Amino acid sequence: MITMSAELVPTSRGLPETRAENRRQVLAEAVALLPALPPADPLDRYAIRHITALWLETDKTDHTRRAYYADLSAWLGWCARTGLDPLTARRADVDAWKNTLTVTGRDGLPRPAADSTVARTLAGISSWYRYLQSNDIADRNPVSAVNRPKTGKTPPLPALGGESTAKLLNHMENRARANDTEPSWRDAAVVAILFYTGLRVSGLTTATVRDLDTDAGHTILRYTAKGGHRDFVPLVPAAQHPLRRYLDLRAARTGVRPDELTGPLLATMPHRYDSTKPGGKPLAQRDVWFLLRAQARAAGLSEANTISPHTARRTTGTLLLANDVPVQKVQDLLGHADIRTTRDRYDAHRHKLETSPVHALAQLLADARHRQS
C-alpha cells in the first residue's frame, strides 16, 4: 500500500504562503502516485488528481490527511488490481472490497480489520467521493449506502484517578529536579501540559515556542485544534514551571536568550554520538506515547500498561466533571463540537462506574447474607 511520509504532509497551522505552496506541491506529487486514476492534466484545473490533492489539503489535520491518503490508496489499489474505474464503482464493488480489508498483527500475519478500522476507512473514501460529487467529477458516491460497522461510544483506555495523576506528576517533577537536565524538564513539561490542559497530543507536538503568549494577564498556549482551526488554552503555574525551566536550559545550550528561542515548543535533543542528528525537531506523537508508558511504569502506576496520550485528555475531562465543573465548560476546554461527546464519553462513563445500581445490589445482598449467617 502507498503511504505518505512525514515530509509529504506538512501540518496545516496557519503557515506562511511559501509553506502553503510547498504543501500543495508535495501533495500533488503524492497524489500522482495513486493508481487507477487518469494521468494528471496540468491544463485542467478540475482534473481528478488536482481535485484529490485539494481534498486532502482542505480542512484536515496532518493526522487526518495521512489516514485519508492511506485509505484512498488502498481503495484505488484494489480498483487497479480488479480493473475497475473508481468513477463507475457501485455499492457492490465497495462491499466486495470491504470484505477484503485486513490488518497485519504483531506476528506478521494478516487478520480481518477491526470494526473501528473498517468504519474509519469507509468514512475516508466516502469523503473523497462527496468531494468529487461537489465538483461535478463523480455522478455517485458508492459508499453512501454501504453498511458501516457500529462502534462503541466509550474509548477503550480508562482515565486515571486523581491519586494516580498526582503520583505521576510528582514523579515527573521530582525526576526533573534530581536530574536538572534539559530532557528531564522537557518530559515533565509534556506530562504537565497534557494533564493540566486536556490538549490532544497533536495540539502539543505541533506547537512552537512562538505559540506561547499572554492574554489579560494569563500565560496561554496557542495551538492547532482538530479540524485545523486555531485555539488557545491557559497554562497554570504548575504547567508553566517545568516548561520555563526546560526552555531556559534549551536556550543556554543553544547560546540564545529564552525570548530568542524559535522552533518547536518541545524539541528532540541532539544525538550524543551522531553529529548528523542535531535535534531540534518537534517531538512525534510516538515519542510522547513512549514517554508516558516508561514514566508511568517508573512511577509505579498500575495503569502503566494502558496509558497513552489520550489517557491524559480523558483524565482531565473526567476529573473536572467528577468535581462538579459544568459540562459546558469542560466541553469548551476539550474542544468538543457536540456536548454529547463530553457527556457520553466522560461523564456517563464515570456514572456507570460510581453510581451504577450494581453497588446498591451488592449492599442489599450483603445485608441479606449477613442476616442468614
Side-chain angles (χ1 to χ4, degrees):
M1 175 171 54
I2 298 171
T3 58
M4 205 177 239
S5 69
E7 291 74 18
L8 278 176
V9 197
T11 55
S12 51
R13 304 188 59 255
L15 299 167
E17 184 61 28
T18 53
R19 291 290 302 278
E21 291 176 353
N22 180 62
R23 184 169 64 248
R24 294 190 186 99
Q25 177 62 34
V26 294
L27 282 171
E29 292 172 2
V31 170
L33 300 175
L34 292 171
L37 298 178
D41 183 352
L43 300 180
D44 183 1
R45 65 186 303 168
Y46 301 114
I48 189 169
R49 290 187 185 269
H50 178 62
I51 294 299
T52 297
L54 287 175
W55 166 72
L56 284 168
E57 181 184 15
T58 305
D59 299 329
K60 293 176 182 65
T61 64
D62 182 47
H63 177 78
T64 301
R65 192 178 295 124
R66 293 176 195 277
Y68 276 17
Y69 182 89
D71 296 337
L72 182 60
S73 173
W75 163 242
L76 293 178
W78 186 85
C79 289
R81 291 192 300 273
T82 58
L84 174 66
D85 180 351
L87 294 183
T88 65
R90 301 193 179 189
R91 173 185 174 172
D93 299 308
V94 180
D95 278 332
W97 171 65
K98 181 182 76 169
N99 296 335
T100 70
L101 290 178
T102 60
V103 295
T104 302
R106 292 184 179 180
D107 56 5
L109 299 176
R111 61 195 62 186
D115 286 349
S116 58
T117 300
V118 174
R120 190 216 70 220
T121 301
L122 292 175
I125 305 306
S126 183
S127 171
W128 179 63
Y129 275 109
R130 287 198 306 271
Y131 198 77
L132 296 185
Q133 282 183 301
S134 68
N135 284 281
D136 298 323
I137 295 174
D139 294 327
R140 68 171 69 89
N141 177 357
V143 188
S144 59
V146 173
N147 292 328
R148 303 184 193 183
K150 294 182 179 180
T151 56
K153 291 183 178 180
T154 303
L157 297 179
L160 298 184
E163 292 298 319
S164 291
T165 303
K167 188 175 183 180
L168 179 59
L169 290 168
N170 284 340
H171 165 75
M172 297 304 301
E173 182 115 359
N174 292 337
R175 172 177 177 263
R177 289 183 186 278
N179 297 335
D180 200 28
T181 61
E182 183 182 338
S184 291
W185 282 110
R186 181 200 61 195
D187 294 349
V190 169
V191 176
I193 294 173
L194 285 176
F195 279 91
Y196 278 110
T197 67
L199 272 180
R200 289 182 174 87
V201 65
S202 60
L204 182 58
T205 56
T206 58
T208 70
V209 175
R210 298 304 183 199
D211 288 327
L212 280 175
D213 203 352
T214 58
D215 192 336
H218 297 275
T219 298
I220 64 172
L221 176 63
R222 302 188 186 278
Y223 65 94
T224 301
K226 187 176 182 178
H229 70 275
R230 298 287 284 169
D231 205 342
F232 68 90
V233 64
L235 291 182
V236 296
Q240 290 181 45
H241 169 64
L243 179 62
R244 292 298 182 188
R245 180 60 180 154
Y246 158 63
L247 293 176
D248 286 346
L249 290 171
R250 178 171 150 191
R253 175 177 59 81
T254 55
V256 299
R257 298 195 312 268
D259 61 355
E260 295 175 331
L261 276 174
T262 58
L265 180 66
L266 301 157
T268 59
M269 294 293 298
H271 196 281
R272 287 185 179 182
Y273 311 111
D274 189 347
S275 60
T276 64
K277 299 177 181 179
K281 294 184 178 181
L283 286 185
Q285 294 185 27
R286 65 177 178 275
D287 297 327
V288 178
W289 190 92
F290 285 124
L291 160 66
L292 283 171
R293 284 282 169 99
Q295 295 309 315
R297 291 191 186 101
L301 266 61
S302 60
E303 304 92 340
N305 290 333
T306 60
I307 197 171
S308 74
H310 196 69
T311 304
R313 183 169 167 82
R314 288 210 66 217
T315 297
T316 300
T318 302
L319 289 177
L320 289 173
L321 291 169
N323 286 276
D324 300 321
V325 174
V327 66
Q328 293 86 353
K329 290 189 175 182
V330 179
Q331 175 196 10
D332 184 59
L333 173 66
L334 299 180
H336 292 152
D338 191 332
I339 197 170
R340 289 175 295 184
T341 302
T342 314
R343 189 173 58 240
D344 294 346
R345 296 191 178 182
Y346 296 77
D347 207 23
H349 180 74
R350 175 177 63 88
H351 284 302
K352 287 186 72 174
L353 293 173
E354 297 178 6
T355 63
S356 171
V358 301
H359 301 302
L361 176 62
Q363 186 60 52
L364 288 170
L365 293 176
D367 292 343
R369 293 177 66 180
H370 178 71
R371 289 194 296 271
Q372 290 184 13
S373 62

